[in-house]
Amino acid sequence: MAIDLRNYDSPEYQELKQIIEEKKQLRDPLIEVLHKAQGIFGFLPSEVQEYVSEHLGVPVNKIYGVVTFYNFFSMKPRGKYVINVCTGTACFVKGAPKLMQNFEELLGIKKGETTPDGMFTLSEVRCVGACSLAPVFVVGEETYGRVTTKDQLKRIVDTIKANAE
Ligand code: FES
């Protein structure tokens, strides 16, 4: 069920409030709090940013700046699985653009978008430290290397979907 973002009494906001209280004493708690908030809500819409602003005492435009600067933060709902294609140098050289294109065609979405069924978000990351496996993509805890053809990708996507059901 979707979270009511205007209901500040919801369990999600209560959890966030508690986290903010705990982290408030840190020297620069903003990024950590935003990470936790994204973990709770799945994304960081303006309602959540305003809530963090008010409770953490940080101007909302600073929060907006941080959220839009780091691409691991998202203001749009993300899919159940985020496919992160590595676009670091080694992966780029070994075909990351083609890998991204194959995913876009396979899923019918562009980079940064989420499939209509809410299952997959296609995103990019910088080097994940597995350059010898380039080109690499990461889904959750799983790192996939040297998988490039659409058929191979389709099999992986189908397996993830099957396991999700
Ligand atoms: S550049 Fe992709 S894992 Fe290092």
Side-chain angles (χ1 to χ4, degrees):
M1 202 177 67
I3 299 170
D4 178 0
L5 293 167
R6 287 273 165 216
N7 176 11
Y8 296 116
D9 294 325
S10 69
E12 288 83 9
Y13 277 113
Q14 292 313 307
E15 189 182 345
L16 179 56
K17 189 175 179 185
Q18 202 181 331
I19 287 165
I20 292 172
E21 287 308 317
E22 283 167 23
K23 305 286 176 197
K24 234 177 185 168
Q25 319 310 330
L26 299 176
R27 191 131 65 98
D28 195 2
L30 182 56
I31 292 201
E32 215 177 316
V33 167
L34 290 176
H35 260 300
K36 299 275 185 193
Q38 183 159 285
I40 295 169
F41 291 88
F43 66 125
L44 296 170
S46 53
E47 292 88 344
V48 173
Q49 293 181 37
E50 282 161 19
Y51 188 90
V52 171
S53 166
E54 192 180 315
H55 288 79
L56 199 57
V58 175
V60 79
N61 60 351
K62 180 171 177 191
I63 294 179
Y64 178 79
V66 169
V67 169
T68 49
F69 181 78
Y70 293 103
N71 69 4
F72 47 77
F73 290 133
S74 174
M75 286 180 61
K76 288 197 225 136
R78 303 201 122 196
K80 186 165 183 188
Y81 299 95
V82 179
I83 298 174
N84 278 305
V85 174
C86 177
T87 53
T89 308
C91 288
F92 190 88
V93 170
K94 293 272 187 174
K98 182 70 186 159
L99 179 61
M100 183 67 90
Q101 190 190 333
N102 280 341
F103 267 126
E104 287 181 339
E105 288 171 10
L106 193 60
L107 299 170
I109 54 172
K110 292 276 170 212
K111 181 178 74 180
E113 293 179 348
T114 299
T115 53
D117 63 0
M119 190 66 90
F120 295 104
T121 295
L122 189 55
S123 189
E124 66 178 348
V125 278
R126 291 288 155 181
C127 181
V128 294
C131 308
S132 61
L133 298 175
V136 165
F137 63 95
V138 180
V139 186
E141 304 285 300
E142 200 76 42
T143 301
Y144 300 85
R146 297 198 196 109
V147 184
T148 49
T149 70
K150 240 194 252 182
D151 279 351
Q152 291 171 310
L153 297 179
K154 184 169 179 340
R155 271 199 292 279
I156 291 171
V157 165
D158 287 346
T159 305
I160 294 171
K161 268 191 193 166
N163 289 339
E165 284 158 10

